[in-house]
């Protein structure tokens, strides 16, 4: 089943004369349970694409359907409530609220509307266990390490059982150990909970955890790689190779 | 790059940070200048020259205003420096010595201050015209005040602001010198301490805060009760204790009690917060420690402003009733020296009415009707006090509701001060002494009004009404008659108010300005000047009008200063929370949903200082209002009402600012 369907997505910034076409007509489908990575050199439009797909930004042209619902037909209030009930978000700089404890942060998306408190409590405990942050629930974000913060953000993204999780450079601010531990967590959530994840990254290691990786270049999809039955290390090699072809040097940012 | 270019560029870049500070300065300068202009205005000077009080009132007002302005500018500069801490840190990182940074900030400040002073003085000049109109309206004078640009006012303003400028420079240099790089980079993001579990000590202190306020309130209600050791010292000590316990209590409430309550609410939710809690409860708790002091100061200032405003409006509102009480008739004649006056009135065809009174001076013991023991104790050894006694049939002309049997009596002139310090038991027996025989009088009623003026009653003491039968019986006693200084009194009422001025000039001519001679040969001088009601009224109106104008002006300054500080504070908090709003918008909360929480936070941030301040001032006013006037409820409600309306404008502005920030945090 297709969770996300994007058609002819264009995004143009600026006024007519200085207009810059960042996305040049992208078609994209994501199946339920997929773990899709988006890679590409700086300025290729990765983050813009993600923002447009998750309705934080409007496309200039084109349509996006999530779970059979056309985003362009919704008003901004509907969009907001759709985001709250159907999408999870993980950002590079965590975006936790400093004034809330870890637990309160995780439960934040449920702060409006009726939710069964008992059910929410169970789900929170379960996610905390899966992500290894049970002992941190009563702490405040400024008492946590980067990795712990990002795992809190992941739990917050998944508390509502979203149709799809959007992650924008989730490992960008983490050291390699914290990054790999978070990526393991995301991969296992993808596998055991069947969460659909879409992740923007410039890190080939992070991308190698995905089941499919899209490569963007100059606002268009350049190519895509499937992991298939390959081992992660093998997939990593493939990604490195494609990146080499794509942008010259592999690690640019 | 030269330092001057750096300054200009950074000012242009930081215009958003500056305009708040700039506004604070302009506003202070405008307020001060318009006040001083009024003070030095010739027309107003002439109006107020007659009384020394007026000039003193303006002087005290000007000093108070400097204090308010100082507080306000100091606070605004502090906020301003906090907002720019990153920039200061950056200069340090690139290797600029602290002295140079201070120099840059000083130059920037100088530019700002000069511009703000020029703008403020212009605005202040325009405003002073407006304030002058209000002033004339208050003292019921019709006429135009021509306002010239006053150079004395200008010089005075410049001197005061130069002084303030030096203080602000010292503050700036001190902040820059004291700061370490690390601090500078963290002041905005991480100035708040993390929330800790409430410990028992905080719990106790929270309770102590509430108890201290309640105790202060309780003590304030007893402050004017007479007791055996009642003297000025104990009064001041009591006032000091009330002030201290209420002020400390306020701080503790902000610092501990509120956090205590919020903590209880929050823990009860066990992590499942509603969006309102997320946006109101948790940020407030987060900042409570650093906000406690400033919120307490604002609360105390609000209470102070409200108390002063209420008391002066009570005074103003009660002018009429007060004068009615002390000078019940338009003009007075004592001991029947009125033949010339009445003849002239008739000759000039002026319509008038007279009420004639017979008077006696009789020693009376009030202690049996006093309710509280302390008052009885106070008059021990000297129970019998000389009291003016009137006849029922005379008094009935003015106060027709009075009716007495033989041994009954009525007390007149029992005003709000007496009611407070000497509550009476109606139905008890007073003692009246004629020679050595004692008569018992049953007190059947009291009345705040009086029918004879204060010149007759030795400055507004109580007066007794007796039945005609008893009065005539006492009158036959020679001893009593001998000690009675004023034997008759005639009150004149001019029925046509247009003839009032004419009547007054006749009165002055025929009575040497209202002077009458008493028969008494005691310690008092036998000659007494009786006041003329309309002149007294005009005089009080000018004096009290000035009082209410100066306090009103100061109240406005207090209001604007506290309101603006709260508004600035909320602006800063809104900026700090911008990222949170962005996150909330991203994960799917609408602006309207977020604003619900923001509104609750505004209600708290503005509402709590106001509610606590109103409570404080209510008890303060209640404890001493009777010294100022005769009417409590209406002036109090009107004053507080107006204050609340003006104050809410700041809350509305602040909410609007939040909405803008929330709206702009996401592109759509």
């Amino acid at each position: 089943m297709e969770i996300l369907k994007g058609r002819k997505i264009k995004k143009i910034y600026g006024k007519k004369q200085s207009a810059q076409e960042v996305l040049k007509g992208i078609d994209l489908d994501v199946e339920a349970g997929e773990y899709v990575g988006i890679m590409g050199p700086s300025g290729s439009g990765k983050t813009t694409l993600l923002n447009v797909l998750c309705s934080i930004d409007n496309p200039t042209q084109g349509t996006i359907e999530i779970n059979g619902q056309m985003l362009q037909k919704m008003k901004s209030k509907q969009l907001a409530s759709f985001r709250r009930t159907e999408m999870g978000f993980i950002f590079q700089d965590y975006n936790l609220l400093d004034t809330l404890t870890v637990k309160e942060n995780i439960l934040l998306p449920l702060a409006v509307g009726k939710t069964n408190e008992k059910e929410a409590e169970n789900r929170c405990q379960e996610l905390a266990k899966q992500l290894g942050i049970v002992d941190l629930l009563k702490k405040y974000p400024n008492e946590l390490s980067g990795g712990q913060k990002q795992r809190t953000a992941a739990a917050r993204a998944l508390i509502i059982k979203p149709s799809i999780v959007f992650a924008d450079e989730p490992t960008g601010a983490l050291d390699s150990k914290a990054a790999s531990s978070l990526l393991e967590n995301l991969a296992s959530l993808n596998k055991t909970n069947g969460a659909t994840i879409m992740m923007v990254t410039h890190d080939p290691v992070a991308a190698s955890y995905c089941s499919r990786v899209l490569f963007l270049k100059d606002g268009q999809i350049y190519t895509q790689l499937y992991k298939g039955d390959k081992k992660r290390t093998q997939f990593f090699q493939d990604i490195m190779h494609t990146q080499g072809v794509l942008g010259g040097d592999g690690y640019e940012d | 790059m030269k330092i001057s270019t750096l300054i200009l560029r950074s000012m242009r870049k930081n215009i958003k940070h500056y305009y708040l500070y700039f506004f604070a300065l302009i506003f202070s300068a405008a307020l001060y200048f318009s006040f001083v202009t009024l003070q030095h205005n010739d027309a107003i000077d002439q109006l107020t020259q007659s009384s020394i009080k007026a000039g003193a009132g303006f002087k005290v007002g000007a000093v108070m205003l400097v204090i308010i302005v100082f507080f306000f500018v100091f606070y605004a500069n502090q906020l301003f420096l906090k907002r720019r801490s990153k920039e200061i840190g950056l200069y340090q990182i690139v290797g600029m010595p602290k002295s140079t940074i201070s120099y840059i900030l000083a130059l920037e400040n100088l530019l700002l201050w000069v511009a703000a002073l020029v703008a403020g003085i212009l605005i202040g000049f325009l405003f002073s015209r407006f304030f002058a109109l209000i002033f004339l309206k208050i003292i019921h004078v019709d006429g135009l005040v021509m306002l010239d640009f006053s150079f004395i006012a200008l010089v005075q303003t410049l001197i005061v602001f130069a002084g303030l400028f030096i203080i602000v420079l010292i503050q700036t240099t001190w902040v820059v010198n004291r700061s370490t790089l690390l601090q500078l980079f963290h002041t905005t993001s991480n100035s708040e301490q993390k929330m800790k579990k409430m410990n028992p000590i905080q719990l106790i202190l929270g309770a102590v805060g509430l108890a201290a306020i309640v105790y202060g309130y309780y003590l304030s209600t007893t402050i004017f009760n007479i007791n055996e050791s009642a003297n000025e010292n104990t009064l001041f000590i009591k006032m000091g204790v009330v002030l201290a316990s209420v002020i400390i209590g306020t701080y503790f409430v902000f610092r501990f009690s509120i956090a205590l309550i919020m903590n209880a609410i929050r823990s009860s939710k066990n992590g499942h917060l509603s969006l309102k809690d997320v946006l109101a409860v948790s940020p407030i708790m987060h900042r409570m420690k650093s906000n406690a002091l400033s919120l307490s100061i604002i609360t105390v200032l609000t209470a102070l402003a409200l108390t002063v405003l209420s008391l002066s409006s009570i005074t103003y509102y009660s002018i009429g009733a007060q004068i009615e009480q002390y000078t019940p008739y338009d003009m007075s004649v004592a001991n029947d020296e009125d033949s010339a006056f009445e003849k002239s009135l008739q000759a000039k065809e002026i319509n008038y009415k007279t009420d004639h009174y017979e008077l006696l001076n009789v020693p009376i013991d009030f202690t049996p009707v006093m309710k509280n023991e302390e008052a009885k104790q106070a008059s021990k050894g000297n129970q019998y006090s000389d009291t003016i006694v009137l006849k029922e049939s005379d008094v009935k002309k003015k106060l027709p509701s009075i009716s007495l049997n033989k041994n009954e009596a009525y007390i007149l002139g029992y005003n709000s001060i007496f009611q407070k310090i000497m509550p009476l038991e109606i139905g008890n027996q007073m003692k009246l002494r004629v020679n050595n025989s004692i008569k018992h009088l049953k007190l059947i009623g009291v009345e705040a009004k009086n029918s004879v003026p204060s010149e007759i009653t030795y400055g507004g003491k109580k007066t007794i009404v007796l039945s005609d039968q008893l009065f005539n019986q006492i009158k036959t006693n020679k001893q009593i008659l001998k000690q009675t200084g004023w034997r008759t009194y005639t009150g004149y009422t001019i029925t046509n108010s247009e003839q009032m001025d004419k009547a007054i000039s006749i009165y002055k001519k025929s009575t040497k300005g209202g002077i009458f001679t008493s028969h008494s040969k005691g310690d008092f001088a036998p000659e007494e000047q009786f006041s003329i009601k309309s002149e007294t009224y005009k005089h009080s109106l000018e004096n009290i009008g000035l009082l209410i104008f100066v306090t009103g002006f100061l109240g406005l300054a207090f209001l604007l200063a506290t309101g603006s500080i709260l508004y600035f504070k909320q602006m800063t908090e809104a900026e700090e929370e911008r990222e949170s709003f962005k996150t909330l918008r991203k994960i799917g909360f609408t602006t309207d949903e977020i604003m619900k929480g923001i509104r609750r936070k505004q209600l708290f941030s503005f509402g709590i200082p106001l509610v606590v301040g109103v409570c404080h001032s209510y008890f303060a006013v209640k404890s001493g209002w009777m010294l100022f006037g005769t009417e409590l409820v209406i002036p109090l409600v009107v004053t507080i009402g107006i204050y609340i309306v003006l104050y809410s404008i700041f809350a509305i502005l602040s909410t609007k600012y939040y909405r803008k920030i929330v709206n702009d945090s996401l592109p759509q």
Side-chain angles (χ1 to χ4, degrees):
Chain A
M1 191 188 84
E2 274 160 354
I3 288 285
L4 184 147
K5 218 192 279 179
R7 289 291 174 269
K8 293 183 185 134
I9 301 165
K10 277 191 183 180
K11 180 74 190 178
I12 300 168
Y13 282 117
K15 295 261 162 60
K16 269 176 191 170
Q17 283 168 349
S18 60
Q20 201 190 353
E21 201 173 13
V22 182
L23 299 177
K24 299 172 178 168
I26 288 177
D27 292 321
L28 178 73
D29 294 294
V30 178
E31 299 281 327
E34 262 196 304
Y35 189 173
V36 182
I38 302 176
M39 292 196 76
S42 293
S44 60
K46 303 186 292 273
T47 298
T48 308
L49 177 62
L50 192 83
N51 283 344
V52 167
L53 290 177
C54 70
S55 85
I56 286 176
D57 205 349
N58 289 322
T60 316
Q61 266 178 42
T63 56
I64 295 138
E65 248 177 57
I66 289 178
N67 230 357
Q69 302 245 40
M70 182 85 83
L71 298 186
Q72 276 62 45
K73 282 186 182 164
M74 287 192 235
K75 290 186 181 135
S76 91
K77 264 189 194 170
Q78 288 172 297
L79 271 179
S81 96
F82 190 72
R83 280 205 295 276
R84 202 174 62 235
T85 50
E86 299 285 335
M87 305 182 200
F89 294 91
I90 305 172
F91 307 98
Q92 177 173 1
D93 42 6
Y94 326 121
N95 285 7
L96 299 176
L97 268 56
D98 288 337
T99 54
L100 302 183
T101 62
V102 168
K103 186 177 179 186
E104 287 162 351
N105 261 299
I106 293 173
L107 291 167
L108 183 61
L110 305 176
V112 160
K114 287 172 225 144
T115 35
N116 186 331
E117 202 170 296
K118 213 169 173 188
E119 205 180 294
E121 180 71 31
N122 289 340
R123 180 138 182 89
C124 174
Q125 294 295 344
E126 193 187 316
L127 281 169
K129 208 186 276 171
Q130 279 180 318
L131 290 160
I133 49 173
V134 177
D135 298 335
L136 308 176
L137 285 177
K138 293 228 156 117
K139 295 205 166 176
Y140 283 86
N142 59 6
E143 300 170 274
L144 305 183
S145 72
Q148 291 168 330
K149 281 185 198 174
Q150 201 58 297
R151 276 182 276 159
T152 305
R156 181 182 68 190
L158 288 158
I159 190 82
I160 51 158
K161 296 190 181 165
S163 306
I164 184 165
V165 174
F166 293 99
D168 186 5
E169 304 270 15
T171 59
L174 303 181
D175 63 63
S176 61
K177 188 157 171 275
S180 63
S181 132
L182 177 81
L183 289 165
E184 300 275 1
N185 284 142
L186 286 181
S188 92
L189 287 169
N190 170 249
K191 232 176 239 155
T192 56
N193 301 18
T196 313
I197 301 175
M198 188 156 201
M199 175 173 74
V200 161
T201 182
H202 66 271
D203 178 8
V205 179
S208 69
Y209 284 86
C210 298
S211 55
R212 171 159 68 118
V213 178
L214 298 170
F215 288 87
L216 281 190
K217 190 180 181 182
D218 298 330
Q220 280 173 314
I221 294 181
Y222 176 78
T223 182
Q224 55 181 341
L225 293 177
Y226 283 90
K227 187 178 178 190
D229 296 330
K230 280 177 274 197
K231 278 197 169 151
R232 196 171 68 77
T233 43
Q234 178 60 46
F235 193 42
F236 173 72
Q237 291 301 325
D238 293 352
I239 293 167
M240 287 296 283
H241 178 71
T242 312
Q243 217 177 20
V245 176
L246 195 72
D249 57 318
Y251 292 97
E252 67 170 320
D253 199 2
Chain B
M1 184 157 45
K2 279 193 292 188
I3 280 187
S4 57
T5 2
L6 183 70
I7 291 169
L8 284 177
R9 280 194 194 174
S10 93
M11 284 182 86
R12 209 162 38 201
K13 261 291 200 203
N14 279 314
I15 198 89
K16 231 172 108 189
H17 289 177
Y18 282 102
Y19 89 94
L20 195 146
Y21 183 51
F22 195 53
F23 162 77
L25 282 174
I26 293 181
F27 151 72
S28 307
L31 211 56
Y32 188 77
F33 182 73
S34 56
F35 191 79
V36 185
T37 301
L38 280 180
Q39 191 186 357
H40 292 294
N41 181 264
D42 286 339
I44 285 176
D45 211 29
Q46 270 175 4
L47 276 176
T48 56
Q49 221 171 24
S50 47
S51 77
I52 307 163
K53 273 189 207 159
F58 262 110
K59 268 189 196 128
V60 171
V63 172
M64 287 293 285
L65 204 54
V66 171
I67 295 171
I68 299 168
V69 165
F70 165 73
F71 174 73
F72 183 51
V73 169
F74 192 82
Y75 187 81
N77 188 43
Q78 200 183 18
L79 260 184
F80 179 59
L81 282 173
K82 198 173 159 191
R83 281 183 157 205
R84 297 187 61 196
S85 63
K86 260 189 190 156
E87 193 187 332
I88 297 171
L90 204 66
Y91 288 148
Q92 283 191 39
I93 278 189
V94 299
M96 201 182 271
K98 280 180 175 173
S99 57
T100 316
I101 297 172
S102 298
Y103 175 67
I104 289 177
L105 289 176
L107 273 183
E108 281 184 13
N109 260 319
L110 186 67
L111 278 175
L112 268 180
W113 277 65
V114 169
L117 262 181
V118 170
I121 285 170
L122 285 176
I123 294 170
F125 181 62
L126 294 177
F127 268 139
S128 61
R129 209 160 253 263
F130 171 67
F131 287 130
L133 280 177
I134 290 179
F135 178 55
L136 290 181
K137 185 104 190 137
I138 288 173
I139 63 169
H140 293 203
V141 170
D142 297 322
L144 273 175
V145 170
M146 295 308 286
L147 277 179
D148 298 321
F149 194 86
S150 157
F151 276 95
I152 310 171
L154 179 68
V155 171
Q156 196 173 331
T157 309
L158 289 181
I159 290 172
V160 164
F161 277 81
L164 281 176
F165 182 65
I166 289 167
I167 293 168
V168 163
L169 281 193
I170 293 169
Q171 182 193 15
T172 309
T173 318
W174 191 68
V175 168
V176 171
N177 275 338
R178 195 195 48 150
S179 60
T180 65
L181 266 180
L182 209 60
Q183 275 176 339
L184 288 171
F185 277 99
H186 284 277
T187 39
T188 46
S189 61
N190 230 347
S191 65
E192 312 302 334
Q193 310 237 338
K194 62 181 182 189
M195 281 296 304
K196 280 186 199 140
K197 278 261 163 66
M198 287 307 253
N199 60 39
I201 295 171
Q202 281 171 307
L203 226 141
I204 292 164
L205 288 177
V208 165
L210 283 172
I213 290 184
V214 171
Y215 176 68
Y217 284 173
Y218 164 73
L219 209 59
S220 80
T221 59
T222 69
I223 213 162
F224 286 106
N225 284 0
I226 295 179
N227 53 32
E228 60 263 55
S229 57
N231 57 35
E232 277 189 8
N233 276 338
T234 51
L235 185 72
F236 282 123
I237 289 171
K238 245 186 178 179
M239 278 181 172
V241 172
V242 168
L243 274 182
S245 80
V246 169
I247 290 174
I248 293 170
T250 307
Y251 177 72
F252 276 25
V253 161
F254 278 112
R255 180 74 179 77
F256 304 110
S257 314
I258 287 173
L260 200 76
I261 294 162
M262 292 200 157
N263 209 46
I265 295 173
R266 193 170 171 182
S267 330
S268 74
K269 304 242 165 144
N270 186 28
H272 301 263
L273 300 181
S274 74
L275 189 62
K276 279 182 186 168
D277 300 327
V278 169
L279 287 160
V281 177
S282 73
I284 289 166
M285 284 175 74
H286 194 64
R287 293 203 176 80
M288 209 64 232
K289 194 172 176 184
S290 60
N291 277 355
L293 186 64
S294 60
L295 284 181
S296 319
I297 292 175
I298 285 170
T299 304
V300 171
L301 285 183
T302 305
L304 183 67
L306 272 173
T307 306
V308 171
L309 284 172
S310 301
L311 288 180
S312 63
S313 71
I314 285 172
T315 314
Y316 184 71
Y317 191 86
S318 311
I319 294 176
Q322 292 267 38
I323 286 173
E324 201 57 48
Q325 199 181 336
Y326 291 113
T327 315
Y329 290 98
D330 287 341
M331 273 155 253
S332 305
V333 165
N335 287 344
D336 290 326
E337 300 169 19
D338 55 356
S339 52
F341 177 47
E342 272 197 47
K343 266 177 204 150
S344 312
L345 282 183
Q346 282 156 3
K348 299 267 177 187
E349 291 180 345
I350 291 171
N351 301 321
Y352 65 94
K353 257 171 44 192
T354 57
D355 287 344
H356 190 266
Y357 294 89
E358 279 187 74
L359 312 164
L360 285 176
N361 196 346
V362 183
I364 290 178
D365 178 12
F366 288 101
T367 44
V369 292
M370 289 178 186
K371 249 184 196 162
N372 52 8
E373 282 302 315
E374 287 94 358
K376 283 184 190 174
Q377 290 293 325
S379 53
K380 205 170 188 181
N382 193 18
Q383 285 106 323
Y384 285 94
S385 57
D386 280 353
T387 307
I388 297 293
V389 170
L390 303 173
K391 204 161 73 173
E392 183 193 355
S393 57
D394 289 345
V395 174
K396 265 196 164 157
K397 286 177 251 167
K398 184 91 178 163
L399 304 162
S401 61
I402 289 173
S403 129
L404 296 166
N405 289 325
K406 193 188 169 197
N407 283 323
E408 289 176 345
Y410 220 89
I411 293 185
L412 300 186
Y414 182 65
N415 58 26
S416 47
I417 300 175
F418 283 125
Q419 285 166 26
K420 178 75 192 176
I421 62 176
M422 195 190 282
L424 295 179
E425 190 89 65
I426 290 170
N428 278 12
Q429 307 271 339
M430 297 181 284
K431 284 184 237 165
L432 181 146
R433 195 175 64 190
V434 184
N435 281 356
N436 286 324
S437 72
I438 285 168
K439 281 192 168 23
H440 288 275
L441 286 172
K442 189 179 176 197
L443 175 66
I444 62 159
V446 291
E447 172 63 56
K449 287 183 190 149
N450 208 336
S451 50
V452 288
S454 56
E455 287 87 359
I456 298 275
T457 60
Y458 308 113
K461 273 164 80 176
K462 299 183 293 294
T463 314
I464 299 285
V465 188
L466 298 179
S467 63
D468 288 19
Q469 199 187 346
L470 186 60
F471 185 91
N472 292 333
Q473 195 185 323
I474 299 169
K475 203 169 72 176
T476 56
N477 186 300
K478 286 210 174 96
Q479 179 66 30
I480 294 285
L481 211 57
K482 204 177 159 196
Q483 70 195 27
T484 301
W486 303 108
R487 292 189 186 147
T488 64
Y489 168 76
T490 313
Y492 285 80
T493 309
I494 306 300
T495 39
N496 184 353
S497 61
E498 281 169 22
Q499 295 176 316
M500 184 64 82
D501 288 341
K502 229 197 245 170
I504 288 172
S505 69
I506 295 170
Y507 177 74
K508 282 185 175 166
K509 223 183 275 168
S510 49
T511 61
K512 288 172 278 172
I515 291 173
F516 296 94
T517 319
S518 156
H519 296 301
S520 96
K521 296 174 185 75
D523 306 330
F524 299 103
E527 299 214 318
E528 180 82 46
Q529 184 169 22
F530 283 67
S531 41
I532 299 162
K533 197 194 220 170
S534 69
E535 285 189 352
T536 315
Y537 187 71
K538 198 171 155 248
H539 202 66
S540 313
L541 208 59
E542 274 172 22
N543 268 331
I544 295 167
L546 184 84
L547 173 80
I548 199 168
F549 177 74
V550 172
T551 53
F553 201 97
L554 290 178
L556 183 73
F558 266 117
L559 173 73
L560 288 173
T562 51
S564 311
I565 286 173
L566 280 173
Y567 176 53
F568 293 169
K569 254 183 136 37
Q570 287 304 313
M571 276 172 96
T572 317
E573 284 183 15
E575 302 277 357
E576 282 172 18
E577 284 170 31
R578 192 192 286 270
E579 280 306 308
S580 300
F581 300 146
K582 194 171 180 178
T583 306
L584 288 171
R585 292 280 311 276
K586 275 185 183 168
I587 63 175
F589 293 105
T590 61
T591 307
D592 291 336
E593 282 164 344
I594 294 173
M595 284 313 291
K596 275 183 202 156
I598 299 290
R599 257 180 240 122
R600 181 178 280 197
K601 186 181 164 195
Q602 299 310 296
L603 196 66
F604 176 89
S605 304
F606 286 88
I608 295 282
L610 182 68
V611 168
V612 179
V614 165
C615 267
H616 285 2
S617 65
Y618 171 75
F619 278 94
V621 168
K622 191 133 195 288
S623 76
W625 70 276
M626 56 277 167
L627 300 178
F628 294 85
T630 52
E631 180 68 46
L632 171 67
V633 180
I634 292 172
L636 187 69
V637 168
V638 169
T639 309
I640 291 178
I642 292 175
Y643 197 92
I644 289 175
V645 168
L646 293 176
Y647 185 88
S648 350
I649 293 173
F650 290 98
I652 292 166
L653 282 178
S654 157
T655 313
K656 283 208 161 142
Y657 190 81
Y658 267 100
R659 180 175 274 279
K660 190 173 164 289
I661 297 253
V662 175
N663 242 339
D664 294 350
S665 62
L666 260 203
Q668 18 162 281

